[in-house]
């Protein structure tokens, strides 16, 4: 039976819950009885999702809008949760975006925002929240990285892949540190996934023309795979058979070959 006192209920903090994979993860965690803290910039989207999940799953869903590009946001988020008398049992670092116009063409502030949202904020949140998880002998950290973290960066999108590589490697280190402390740490590495990601970076048409339909996954499938991998305490989860083949190939092919493949992919996307 699920405890009725909120202080005894499991709580998952999901960043980037207003769309795509984050929204799907919120639905999966709610289905499994978790209360939620939903965060992103678009408060109206978060409120609509919270209302849906409260009604459908009978959970508590707290909305705390934040812009994670603000370096003060992670601390503010943690304080706002503590002020409600709740503790975070699962941290889902999912918020993300990419800029594909080329390294020089993108203003520095945008590069900085990418580094802050996808690299610093996830690590800071893990650093702030994992001690409580260790003390309570229960915790989950699910970092939404990408298959791109295994590939050389695509030209034009220079920082995205390296940021995701960092997240995979940092996740693996934390997985090892936390393994015997009842805290599961997992890097989820999706490949092409239907969401708003490619609308936001303006690449919808280009990716639709340069990738086969079968390589795409739905956000719900990706979220389910991530949830199961986290519960099973797997260090890395690459969802979907085609993505598993691609990640295996990227690990065994010589660097020159993967770089040539990345160059070809960049040309087909019109980035080089
Ligand atoms: N789609 C793919 O093909 C794919 C593949 C591999 C990995 N991924 C990764 O999956 C994760 C989720 O992406 P998605 O595909 O679901 O994309 P999406 O549909 O565009 O969703 C991105 C989410 O991130 C949030 N976000 C972006 N900038 C933010 C900021 N400054 N502060 C707070 N939240 C911010 C957005 O919310 P607001 O705009 O409301 O702030 C939104 O909720 C990302 O980390 C992405 O890198 C995606």
């Amino acid at each position: 039976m699920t405890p009725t006192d909120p202080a005894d209920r499991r709580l998952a903090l999901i960043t980037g819950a207003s769309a795509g994979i984050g929204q799907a993860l919120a639905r999966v965690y709610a289905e499994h009885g978790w209360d939620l803290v939903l965060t992103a910039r678009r408060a109206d989207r978060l409120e609509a999702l919270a209302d849906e999940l409260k009604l459908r799953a009978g959970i508590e869903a707290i909305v705390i809008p934040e812009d994670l590009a603000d370096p003060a946001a992670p601390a503010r988020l943690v304080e706002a949760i503590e002020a409600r008398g709740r503790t975070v049992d699962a941290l889902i670092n999912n918020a993300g975006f990419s800029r594909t116009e080329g390294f020089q063409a993108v203003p520095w502030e945008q590069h900085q925002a990418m580094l802050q949202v996808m690299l610093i904020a996830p690590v800071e949140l893990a650093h702030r929240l994992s001690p409580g998880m260790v003390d309570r002998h229960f915790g989950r950290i699910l970092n939404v990285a990408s298959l791109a973290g295994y590939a050389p960066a695509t030209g034009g999108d220079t920082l995205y892949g390296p940021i995701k590589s960092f997240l995979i490697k940092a996740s693996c280190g934390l997985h090892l540190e936390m393994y015997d402390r009842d805290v599961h740490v997992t890097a989820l590495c999706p490949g092409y996934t239907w969401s708003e990601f490619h609308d936001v970076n303006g690449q919808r048409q280009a990716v639709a023309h340069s990738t086969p339909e079968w390589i795409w996954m739905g956000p719900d499938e990706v979220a389910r795979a991530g949830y199961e991998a986290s519960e099973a305490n797997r260090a890395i989860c690459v969802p979907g058979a085609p993505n598993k083949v691609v990640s295996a190939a990227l690990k065994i092919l010589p660097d020159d070959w993967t770089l040539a493949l990345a160059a070809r992919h960049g040309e087909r996307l019109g980035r080089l």
Side-chain angles (χ1 to χ4, degrees), residues 96-115:
F97 65 98
S98 81
R99 293 291 304 255
T100 60
E101 303 94 317
F103 184 69
Q104 291 296 341
V106 172
W108 171 246
E109 292 69 26
Q110 282 296 311
H111 287 308
Q112 204 168 23
M114 274 181 81
L115 292 163

Side-chain angles (χ1 to χ4, degrees), residues 15-23 39-43 45-46 66-70 93-98 113 117-118 144-148 160 164 167 188-198 200 216 219:
T15 72
S18 61
I21 297 170
Q23 205 171 58
T39 189
R41 290 165 301 181
R42 286 171 290 179
R45 295 264 198 118
L46 299 175
E66 274 294 354
D67 182 350
L68 288 174
D70 176 352
N93 282 314
N94 163 78
F97 65 98
S98 81
V117 171
M118 291 194 289
V144 182
S146 172
L147 200 55
Y160 180 78
K164 295 302 192 180
L167 203 53
L188 173 61
C189 304
Y192 281 112
T193 306
W194 300 113
S195 71
E196 295 174 14
F197 187 86
H198 296 99
V200 175
W216 287 81

Side-chain angles (χ1 to χ4, degrees), residues 78-94:
V78 172
E79 272 167 32
I81 296 167
E82 285 171 357
R84 287 168 165 85
R86 300 296 307 261
T87 47
V88 174
D89 302 296
L91 164 65
I92 322 297
N93 282 314
N94 163 78

